[in-house]
Amino acid sequence: MHHAYVGGLAQHTLEVARIVINFTQVFPYVNYDIAVASALLHDIGKIAELSDFPENKYTTRGKLIGHINIGVEILNSFISKIPDFPNQIKYEIEHCILSHHGTLEMGSPVLPMTIEAIAVHNADKSSAEINAFHLAIERDTGTDAWTDYNPTYKRAIKKSINI
């Protein structure tokens, strides 16, 4: 639904990280290291969930396990190679990955329960929705000020004005 093009995952990941960095400046009590690391890793599981372009389809593993769970597996495979990696940091980053969709209905196995997790969730949601609106506007072939009805967002979207 968003960033579905070559380079899109990298673009989305960097957008989420930049938004989270801004959150840490506005809210200095958000732990920068945990939040930024989690932002950079939140969608790492997508590299195994989706096949390469141009096919870009869900893999069997992706369909059965999903990028959130795959992401935690990838994280843990690398952490296990770091001697004495602190469990508390591991749990905090795992939690951010597991909760980044924000709700159980949207696919998160757990709800965000830390400030860093809610920051990552909101940054992820902002990047995804703004990009999806932009793509809907960009792909609309109509000539008026509104897109056609968008079934994903259950509304028409007003096209930006150039000032």
Side-chain angles (χ1 to χ4, degrees), residues 3-53:
H3 297 86
Y5 42 81
V6 173
L9 178 59
Q11 179 187 346
H12 170 64
T13 300
L14 292 173
E15 287 171 1
V16 173
R18 289 176 65 201
I19 293 166
V20 164
I21 288 167
N22 282 310
F23 284 165
T24 67
Q25 292 169 353
V26 174
F27 307 107
Y29 43 83
V30 175
N31 182 294
Y32 181 95
D33 294 334
I34 298 294
V36 174
S38 298
L40 292 169
L41 294 169
H42 82 282
D43 272 344
I44 192 74
K46 286 194 178 275
I47 63 173
E49 181 183 49
L50 298 168
S51 62
D52 293 334
F53 277 97

Side-chain angles (χ1 to χ4, degrees), residues 132-134 136-137 140 144-160:
F133 268 50
H134 173 72
I137 292 165
D140 186 78
D144 67 41
W146 293 85
T147 67
D148 290 333
Y149 177 83
N150 185 303
T152 301
Y153 288 101
K154 298 180 177 69
R155 67 193 96 164
I157 299 169
K158 187 175 183 308
K159 297 176 184 175
S160 300

Side-chain angles (χ1 to χ4, degrees), residues 14-150:
L14 292 173
E15 287 171 1
V16 173
R18 289 176 65 201
I19 293 166
V20 164
I21 288 167
N22 282 310
F23 284 165
T24 67
Q25 292 169 353
V26 174
F27 307 107
Y29 43 83
V30 175
N31 182 294
Y32 181 95
D33 294 334
I34 298 294
V36 174
S38 298
L40 292 169
L41 294 169
H42 82 282
D43 272 344
I44 192 74
K46 286 194 178 275
I47 63 173
E49 181 183 49
L50 298 168
S51 62
D52 293 334
F53 277 97
E55 186 181 38
N56 196 38
K57 293 186 178 183
Y58 285 90
T59 62
T60 298
R61 185 171 183 225
K63 286 180 180 181
L64 293 175
I65 300 171
H67 78 278
I68 292 175
N69 293 313
I70 294 169
V72 170
E73 288 177 9
I74 293 169
L75 172 72
N76 286 327
S77 73
F78 282 94
I79 284 177
S80 70
K81 297 173 186 168
I82 302 170
D84 302 318
F85 192 92
N87 278 332
Q88 191 57 43
I89 294 172
K90 174 185 150 184
Y91 301 150
E92 296 280 337
I93 296 171
E94 282 178 326
H95 177 68
C96 289
I97 293 171
L98 289 168
S99 65
H100 79 265
H101 280 190
T103 65
L104 305 177
E105 297 79 19
M106 292 302 292
S108 279
V110 294
L111 298 175
M113 291 182 268
T114 65
I115 291 173
E116 293 73 26
I118 202 70
V120 171
H121 160 63
N122 281 292
D124 178 55
K125 184 176 180 185
S126 295
S127 169
E129 288 189 350
I130 290 170
N131 179 266
F133 268 50
H134 173 72
L135 290 177
I137 292 165
E138 194 174 71
R139 293 174 179 163
D140 186 78
T141 58
T143 57
D144 67 41
W146 293 85
T147 67
D148 290 333
Y149 177 83
N150 185 303

